Amino acid sequence: MPPDADATQHDWRIENREYARHEARRGRRFAFTHLVPTRTALVVIDMVPFFVAENPYCRGIVPNIHRLADRLRAAGGTVAWVLPAVGAGSPVTEEFYGPVVAELYRTSGGTGPPAERLWAGLRADDADLFVEKSAASAFFPGRCPLPELLTERRIETVLITGTVTNVCCESSARDAATLGYRVILVADANAARRDRDHNATLHTIYRNFGDVRPTSDVLDLIDHPAPSPCRVTRVPRSG
């Protein structure tokens, strides 16, 4: 059986009342109606064998990640692969998870060259960014170099993809919004263990932190970019 024979997609949704709430507030369903590809980064989180191999939802998002990466690279944007760092153990982590599971998570990212640590079914490019994170979020200050690298590239918009939707992807989306990025969580390019976990995150992000859109919508945004730079000044949120 091929490794992706049982790959599947989440039955994702945003409730109509949430769409209506934002339409009443700002006069449109989505906050970000245009993007500038050269100032946009596709952030792919934790797509390593530890998470992907046993989860058909993870394997199901691989084609959409490839579509987004190929189209954004062609338009001059950035693709960033984020992997779990293998760091020192923590007494608090062991207390929370237990020593066996804590050790599994600590080593979940594997070792060796970053590109070779991705799940074998993924296609990366030599020009892509590869970074490690030592926290759930790829945007938590001091725990991942990604924000500094994106600042160097004048990135304004981040497209969040990968796994697990309701842990590292949600944490990254929240922190990216706090840092002032325009956040789009790609609904069918993130994967959790269950539909209800996945959809709970979509609800939270759409309500408070960024847009939630399918791959087809994001590809259309890349193909029909803003006529001029978005001129977004990233200012951290307060309160």
Side-chain angles (χ1 to χ4, degrees):
M1 179 184 293
D4 60 349
D6 63 342
T8 189
Q9 283 277 330
H10 283 294
D11 180 17
W12 72 272
R13 68 191 183 97
I14 298 288
E15 292 184 11
N16 286 332
R17 67 177 183 176
E18 297 305 324
Y19 287 136
R21 183 193 307 272
H22 274 318
E23 288 165 354
R25 286 174 172 174
R26 65 191 177 210
R28 61 189 186 277
R29 177 164 294 191
F30 299 110
F32 312 123
T33 57
H34 294 87
L35 57 77
V36 178
T38 56
R39 296 191 182 180
T40 300
L42 175 69
V43 179
V44 188
I45 296 173
D46 289 354
M47 292 293 285
V48 296
F50 179 86
F51 293 107
V52 179
E54 300 300 323
N55 188 344
Y57 289 117
C58 287
R59 298 194 299 280
I61 66 175
V62 169
N64 285 339
I65 290 174
H66 284 157
R67 293 169 67 199
L68 291 162
D70 291 345
R71 198 76 61 87
L72 188 59
R73 287 190 198 102
T78 295
V79 177
W81 303 90
V82 182
L83 295 86
V86 179
S90 161
V92 174
T93 302
E94 289 191 10
E95 185 178 13
F96 185 82
Y97 289 113
V100 174
V101 174
E103 180 65 11
L104 285 174
Y105 281 131
R106 187 186 73 81
T107 59
S108 63
T111 58
E116 297 177 8
R117 290 158 53 191
L118 296 173
W119 186 65
L122 290 162
R123 299 191 307 266
D125 188 90
D126 290 341
D128 295 345
L129 293 178
F130 295 89
V131 297
E132 293 182 324
K133 61 179 176 63
S134 59
S137 169
F139 289 86
F140 192 88
R143 303 299 291 272
C144 182
L146 183 62
E148 290 77 12
L149 294 172
L150 297 186
T151 295
E152 291 174 3
R153 298 185 177 213
R154 302 176 67 196
I155 297 299
E156 298 171 338
T157 303
V158 292
L159 313 174
I160 303 293
T161 66
T163 196
V164 176
T165 310
N166 53 311
V167 184
C168 292
C169 299
E170 179 174 341
S171 297
S172 297
R174 286 169 175 256
D175 285 345
T178 300
L179 292 176
Y181 289 96
R182 306 164 81 239
V183 173
I184 301 176
L185 187 77
V186 187
D188 54 359
N190 281 267
R193 300 294 297 184
R194 304 178 298 179
D195 285 344
R196 66 183 184 181
D197 299 332
H198 183 75
N199 286 329
T201 286
L202 303 193
H203 168 90
T204 297
I205 297 304
Y206 180 75
R207 186 180 178 109
N208 293 294
F209 298 102
D211 281 340
V212 173
R213 305 190 74 162
T215 297
S216 57
D217 281 11
V218 178
L219 292 174
D220 188 62
L221 291 174
I222 295 171
D223 290 342
H224 301 89
S228 60
C230 298
R231 303 184 187 280
V232 173
T233 300
R234 295 195 290 107
V235 178
R237 292 183 178 183
S238 60

